[in-house]
Amino acid sequence: MFDLDKWREIWATVRRHKLRTGLTAFGVFWGIFMLVVLLGAGKGLRNGVERQFNVAKNAVFVWSQRTSIPYAGLKVGRFVQFTNDDVVALQRGVPEAALVLPRNTLDGDFSIQYGTKSSTFSVKGEYPAFPAVRPVNLTEGRFINQPDIKERRKIAVIGERVVEVLFGDENPIGQEIRIKGIYFRVVGVFKGSGEAEEAQEDAQTIYIPLTALQNTFNKPNQVGFFAFIPKVGVPAKEVEIKVKQVLARQHKVAPTDERAFGSANVEEEYARVQGLFLGISSFSWLVSIGTILAGIIGVSNIMLIVVKERTKEIGIRKALGATPWSIVSLIVQESIVITAVAGMLGLLLGTALMAGINSMIAGQEIGFFANPQVDVSVALTAVALLVVAGAVAGLVPAAKAAQVQPVIALKDE
């Protein structure tokens, strides 16, 4: 690799056959370029889709519906109302759950008031552990804590849209808003998360302690639905099944009644999305490697032509004492140079294209596409692939060159 004479010979050969070398190298260039672009675009799609999952990736949600099977003397069509007793039963009956989170929503058409201003917002009763299920991006103050739950404090954590409508430029922390005529002190402000519509809806939400919601708004002992986080290593599906079994026993629901409880398993949905992108990534590699192989075959064929053209020269070298290894190394080195240079150009151009697209869409809401990029590991793999490919492409021509007999080569015209 450090023999200056070899580099001069390689440069002279490439310069004599510019068009041939360029067309041959283009196959390798295009394969690497396609690989970088396809993987970068796939990463952008994955980032965009994962941005939609603004909840814990292994969360399970369970809510009540109406029964579809009569059981234990109870009629069909019965609505199951969750209670605080279910929380204790679930904590005991589902030890696989690291977090059992009861939740509720304040239903009805009502206005939230501050001074002379009023508007309609959603009010949700939560526990302090809620951010473990869905992030709450606090910009001021704090979230609900355990003393708030225990003492049923009338406190509120409000979204930025609530601040904008009710308070304007006034600092809301410490101020009191009226929810159905009941005063709640504002202790925190949060920013909406998720995509545009979801973030806007989130910003119009008010969180209050679940116990305060139950006690203040005539929902004693009522829970609307549950959220669960499994313990480390426990599949979410196992928690989902056990939760439904415990709730069925609690409310005398037939074990075969699949309509009594609704559920959403984020882990399963996330796994399906990951499987989809694994397929996209595999397809990208398959297409790109196929193109690279075609380019390598082209390089190998060109090197065979080079060996044929330089048969007499190779014979003279061997007659003067050149070793087979020196002949092989010259051909292999020339092959590596062609593939490496072409591949690196493809890698650089593909990476530059992805960086340009990333800078163009930075800060914009593009739905299911965000931050297209190429992993460093992929770039290193591509470089290693180029070196190996170049060596492989030159092996057959190099072996053919090493077998040239000086006497026969000197007779060749």
Side-chain angles (χ1 to χ4, degrees):
M1 292 299 292
F2 300 101
D3 190 334
L4 185 58
D5 289 336
K6 284 185 179 179
W7 284 106
R8 286 173 177 169
E9 289 187 46
I10 292 172
W11 172 244
T13 303
V14 171
R15 192 170 54 182
R16 279 198 308 269
H17 305 285
K18 298 184 185 70
L19 180 61
R20 185 177 70 184
T21 304
L23 292 175
T24 303
F26 182 77
V28 178
F29 162 83
W30 190 248
I32 294 295
F33 177 77
M34 285 179 55
L35 176 64
V36 172
V37 170
L38 289 174
L39 291 180
K43 183 67 174 179
L45 286 172
R46 172 175 288 187
N47 291 338
V49 171
E50 288 186 349
R51 194 168 59 181
Q52 310 293 320
F53 286 88
N54 61 332
V55 294
K57 303 298 188 297
N58 60 343
V60 175
F61 299 92
V62 177
W63 58 89
S64 61
Q65 300 179 152
R66 295 191 180 277
T67 59
S68 60
I69 300 175
Y71 184 72
L74 299 172
K75 295 181 179 181
V76 67
R78 176 171 53 95
F79 181 78
V80 177
Q81 175 61 64
F82 295 148
T83 67
N84 291 332
D85 296 334
D86 295 331
V87 179
V88 178
L90 288 167
Q91 289 172 338
R92 292 175 179 174
V94 191
E96 296 82 1
L99 175 64
V100 178
L101 186 66
R103 309 175 65 193
N104 211 341
T105 301
L106 190 57
D107 301 319
D109 187 13
F110 56 91
S111 295
I112 311 298
Q113 300 172 327
Y114 173 72
T116 59
K117 298 179 181 179
S118 66
S119 188
T120 302
F121 303 105
S122 60
V123 178
K124 298 180 180 180
E126 304 290 357
Y127 264 65
F130 174 71
V133 176
R134 191 169 188 271
V136 178
N137 303 318
L138 287 171
T139 57
E140 291 184 72
R142 64 174 180 84
F143 193 65
I144 300 165
N145 58 30
Q146 199 57 43
D148 296 331
I149 296 294
K150 185 177 181 181
E151 299 173 18
R152 302 177 181 180
R153 293 175 180 172
K154 296 181 179 64
I155 60 96
V157 182
I158 62 178
E160 287 187 331
R161 177 60 180 167
V162 182
V163 176
E164 180 183 341
V165 173
L166 297 183
F167 294 93
D169 296 330
E170 185 179 351
N171 186 357
I173 302 298
Q175 304 297 329
E176 291 187 334
I177 59 175
R178 295 193 302 279
I179 304 176
K180 285 192 171 182
I182 307 298
Y183 285 92
F184 281 74
R185 186 178 299 277
V186 177
V187 297
V189 176
F190 69 94
K191 181 180 180 180
S193 60
E195 290 303 298
E197 293 183 4
E198 188 175 7
Q200 185 177 2
E201 181 181 348
D202 200 19
Q204 299 184 89
T205 299
I206 298 174
Y207 295 125
I208 64 175
L210 177 59
T211 51
L213 185 148
Q214 292 174 330
N215 188 60
T216 306
F217 300 108
N218 196 29
K219 289 180 176 286
N221 202 33
Q222 291 185 17
V223 174
F225 49 100
F226 288 97
F228 304 90
I229 299 293
K231 289 182 178 178
V232 177
V234 177
K237 187 64 178 179
E238 183 177 340
V239 171
E240 182 182 6
I241 292 172
K242 283 201 169 186
V243 164
K244 289 184 177 181
Q245 290 173 346
V246 170
L247 291 174
R249 290 195 298 269
Q250 281 285 108
H251 297 276
K252 295 183 180 180
V253 173
T256 56
D257 192 344
E258 297 182 355
R259 296 185 181 180
F261 306 111
S263 63
N265 189 327
V266 180
E267 185 176 78
E268 288 185 348
E269 186 177 349
Y270 186 72
R272 284 195 293 270
V273 171
Q274 293 301 307
L276 170 64
F277 285 110
L278 177 61
I280 292 175
S281 179
S282 301
F283 177 75
S284 300
W285 276 100
L286 181 64
V287 171
S288 302
I289 288 178
T291 306
I292 293 170
L293 285 175
I296 291 171
I297 293 171
V299 172
S300 184
N301 289 334
I302 288 300
M303 297 312 298
L304 283 171
I305 295 173
V306 169
V307 170
K308 180 66 177 175
E309 290 176 345
R310 299 171 64 181
T311 300
K312 194 169 185 177
E313 175 191 331
I314 293 171
I316 294 172
R317 286 172 178 269
K318 297 192 73 173
L320 293 174
T323 63
W325 169 245
S326 67
I327 304 297
V328 169
S329 63
L330 176 64
I331 303 301
V332 170
Q333 186 172 331
E334 185 172 340
S335 177
I336 289 176
V337 167
I338 294 173
T339 53
V341 171
M344 289 302 295
L345 286 174
L347 181 63
L348 291 174
L349 187 58
T351 304
L353 179 61
M354 289 296 100
I357 293 174
N358 192 21
S359 63
M360 288 173 60
I361 66 174
Q364 299 182 30
E365 299 290 344
I366 312 292
F368 292 96
F369 195 80
N371 192 24
Q373 57 186 348
V374 181
D375 292 337
V376 175
S377 60
V378 173
L380 295 176
T381 302
V383 171
L385 184 64
L386 293 176
V387 175
V388 174
V392 171
L395 281 178
V396 174
K400 187 175 180 65
Q403 294 171 1
V404 171
Q405 298 298 322
V407 176
I408 297 175
L410 291 174
K411 290 180 179 179
D412 187 47
E413 293 293 339

